[in-house]
């Protein structure tokens, strides 16, 4: 069977070149006589893999020396607790709630101190990003938290919030490495790998070194302290070795493609093809305010549940996988991450146009 066009929100499409390279190395990684899956994380061969991955990531994002890079486990959801455990010194934090994952982080933050929702777009089903230019930031807040790209609802912060001098913490899971980022604007960035970077099981944390200390909330487990992992260079315990190896291959693929500037341009072209179609379609409609549209996740609907279900069924039969919207919102969603080829988006739009013509009687 030939490969499908996989529009899954995560675990998501990976670059075919990377998968082929990993397949070729599966049984024997560079003359070691073993797979990376079988390799000791303390070995010389693996040490080179993890150090190389960090170096390439630093190159891609121009990460300054005073920021630490960590490869951890537990996914982005574990960071909802790890962030307040390590950073909530005053036991106060402000959250901007723009979707389900930001809401979950906000609720988790409330376990450890006073979590304030200082802005929200819940009033319009998270279909926009609220104005964050002059927020009522709490004087004693330890940080301001955002989910920068909302996977479920398809919104993106194109302007970072004015945090009034407070540390900005960002969950970048579904936009990580899709465009250049000024890391110095953040105190901490984290991202689950399974959307744009690698297989599920790895989370990447980029944290400013002055935020890494022994001064954490009482009862914080050793494994949930950033300092534990910084001191051990992500090797305190057995890390997700194969996941990190795959992330490293994706970093090299991105560098070969011209880096994040080239990736942003490519992603803008892909998104434009799909949004342009949605804006002129009589059947399909985007669900996000235009100024806040994500380049990575594109939700859309017909307005007819029966028609939505038929589209999902027929698109799957035509080789387009995982276009069903998140179970909490319904409709459809196309996740068009870095590794989704332009051809995939062009073919999807052609299919949508045919579907619209074929089922125009249902409008």
């Amino acid at each position: 069977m030939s490969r499908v066009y996989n529009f899954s929100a995560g675990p998501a499409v990976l670059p075919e070149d990377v998968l082929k390279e990993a397949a070729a190395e599966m049984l024997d990684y560079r003359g070691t006589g073993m797979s990376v899956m079988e390799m000791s994380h303390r070995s010389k061969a693996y040490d080179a893999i993890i150090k190389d991955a960090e170096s390439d990531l630093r190159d891609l994002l121009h990460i300054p020396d005073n920021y630490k890079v960590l490869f951890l486990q537990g996914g982005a959801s574990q960071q909802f607790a790890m962030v307040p455990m390590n950073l909530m010194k005053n036991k106060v934090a402000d959250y901007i709630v723009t979707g389900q994952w930001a809401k979950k982080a906000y609720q988790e933050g409330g376990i450890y101190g006073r979590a304030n929702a200082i802005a929200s777009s819940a009033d319009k089903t998270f279909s926009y990003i609220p104005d964050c230019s002059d927020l009522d930031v709490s004087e004693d807040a330890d940080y301001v938290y955002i989910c920068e790209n909302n996977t479920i609802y398809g919104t993106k912060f194109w302007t970072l919030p004015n945090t009034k001098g407070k540390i900005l913490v960002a969950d970048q899971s579904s936009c990580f490495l899709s465009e250049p980022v000024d890391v110095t604007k953040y105190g901490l960035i984290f991202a689950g790998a399974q959307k744009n970077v690698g297989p599920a099981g790895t989370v990447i944390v980029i944290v400013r070194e002055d935020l890494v200390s022994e001064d954490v909330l009482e009862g914080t487990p050793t494994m949930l302290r950033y300092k534990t992992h910084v001191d051990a260079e992500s090797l305190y315990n057995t890390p997700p070795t194969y996941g990190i190896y795959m992330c490293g291959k994706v970093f090299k693929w991105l560098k070969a493609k011209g880096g994040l500037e080239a990736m942003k341009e490519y992603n803008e072209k892909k998104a434009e093809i799909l949004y342009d179609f949605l804006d002129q379609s009589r059947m399909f409609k985007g669900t996000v305010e235009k100024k806040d549209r994500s380049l990575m996740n594109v939700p859309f609907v017909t307005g007819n549940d029966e028609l939505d279900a038929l589209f999902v069924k027929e698109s799957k039969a035509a080789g387009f996988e995982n276009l069903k919207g998140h179970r909490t919102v319904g409709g459809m969603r196309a996740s068009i991450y870095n590794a989704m080829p332009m051809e995939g988006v062009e073919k999807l739009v052609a299919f949508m146009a045919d579907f619209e013509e074929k089922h125009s009687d249902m409008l």
Side-chain angles (χ1 to χ4, degrees):
M1 182 183 172
S2 60
R3 278 174 66 75
V4 297
Y5 290 111
N6 180 12
F7 292 93
S8 171
V13 61
L14 283 164
E16 206 166 305
D17 293 350
V18 167
L19 293 173
K20 284 175 178 171
E21 206 175 292
E25 293 174 346
M26 179 56 79
L27 293 176
D28 178 10
Y29 177 73
R30 300 190 181 176
T32 59
M34 66 181 104
S35 172
V36 173
M37 276 188 198
E38 307 167 295
M39 196 177 280
S40 166
H41 60 297
R42 306 289 180 195
S43 67
K44 194 178 275 189
Y46 194 76
D47 188 57
I49 288 170
I50 194 167
K51 282 191 166 63
D52 216 18
E54 179 178 337
S55 174
D56 286 336
L57 180 59
R58 285 185 175 277
D59 285 352
L60 282 164
L61 279 170
H62 309 296
I63 299 172
D65 290 344
N66 66 322
Y67 281 75
K68 300 296 184 183
V69 172
L70 301 173
F71 296 100
L72 306 177
Q73 297 175 77
S77 293
Q78 186 163 282
Q79 294 304 307
F80 300 168
M82 208 163 165
V83 165
M85 282 176 167
N86 286 267
L87 304 188
M88 221 191 234
K89 316 291 187 192
N90 298 321
K91 296 202 171 180
V92 181
D94 289 350
Y95 287 76
I96 299 168
V97 181
T98 51
Q100 192 164 307
W101 303 114
K103 186 179 176 182
K104 285 187 175 185
Y106 158 67
Q107 290 169 335
E108 193 78 8
I111 295 171
Y112 301 99
R114 194 174 85 241
N116 306 307
I118 57 169
S120 172
S121 52
D123 61 325
K124 292 184 182 173
T125 326
F126 301 121
S127 59
Y128 71 102
I129 297 291
D131 179 4
C132 297
S133 58
D134 188 21
L135 297 167
D136 189 15
V137 176
S138 308
E139 247 176 74
D140 51 354
D142 292 297
Y143 56 85
V144 175
Y145 180 104
I146 61 170
C147 179
E148 197 161 326
N149 188 90
N150 294 284
T151 323
I152 294 173
Y153 298 95
T155 57
K156 167 80 161 68
F157 279 84
W158 290 111
T159 303
L160 292 177
N162 176 4
T163 64
K164 313 279 177 81
K166 300 295 182 184
I167 295 159
L168 178 63
V169 172
D171 174 357
Q172 285 190 358
S173 293
S174 52
C175 60
F176 192 59
L177 301 187
S178 64
E179 60 179 351
V181 164
D182 181 355
V183 173
T184 64
K185 290 182 176 176
Y186 306 79
L188 186 147
I189 292 167
F190 67 86
Q194 73 275 13
K195 297 174 184 299
N196 227 355
V197 186
T202 306
V203 63
I204 295 163
V205 175
I206 300 167
V207 57
R208 211 171 64 210
E209 64 184 1
D210 62 297
L211 301 178
V212 178
S213 73
E214 296 281 11
D215 180 20
V216 296
L217 294 189
E218 191 180 343
T220 299
T222 303
M223 273 294 290
L224 297 185
R225 296 168 185 240
Y226 291 125
K227 192 170 191 313
T228 299
H229 301 287
V230 166
D231 289 350
E233 298 182 327
S234 298
L235 293 167
Y236 174 74
N237 68 327
T238 308
T241 52
Y242 198 79
I244 295 165
Y245 155 79
M246 290 296 288
C247 289
K249 288 211 172 294
V250 171
F251 301 156
K252 289 204 183 300
W253 177 81
L254 284 166
K255 287 175 83 171
K257 289 283 179 188
L260 302 188
E261 290 80 5
M263 219 59 234
K264 185 184 185 207
E265 198 179 316
Y266 188 62
N267 287 327
E268 284 172 342
K269 283 178 185 167
K270 282 190 294 185
E272 189 180 8
I273 291 167
L274 185 46
Y275 284 126
D276 282 354
F277 173 76
L278 290 172
D279 289 343
Q280 61 80 43
S281 171
R282 288 184 307 116
M283 180 178 282
F284 299 100
K285 296 283 173 287
T287 59
V288 174
E289 288 191 14
K290 285 187 183 182
K291 67 179 175 58
D292 300 321
R293 284 171 163 175
S294 165
L295 299 181
M296 299 286 98
N297 310 100
V298 183
F300 55 96
V301 295
T302 65
N304 176 327
D305 290 347
E306 190 188 337
L307 203 50
D308 285 358
L310 185 63
F311 176 80
V312 170
K313 183 183 173 187
E314 290 195 7
S315 63
K316 184 179 173 69
F320 303 101
E321 284 285 343
N322 297 306
L323 282 166
K324 189 176 183 179
H326 190 271
R327 63 187 181 280
T328 57
V329 293
M332 285 76 69
R333 171 181 53 178
S335 292
I336 49 176
Y337 298 124
N338 288 343
M340 172 56 67
M342 188 80 69
E343 178 189 80
V345 180
E346 288 168 346
K347 287 193 171 176
L348 173 63
V349 165
F351 174 81
M352 289 168 76
D354 285 347
F355 182 90
E356 182 169 327
E357 196 176 324
K358 188 168 133 192
H359 298 290
S360 56
D361 58 315
M362 292 179 72
L363 283 172

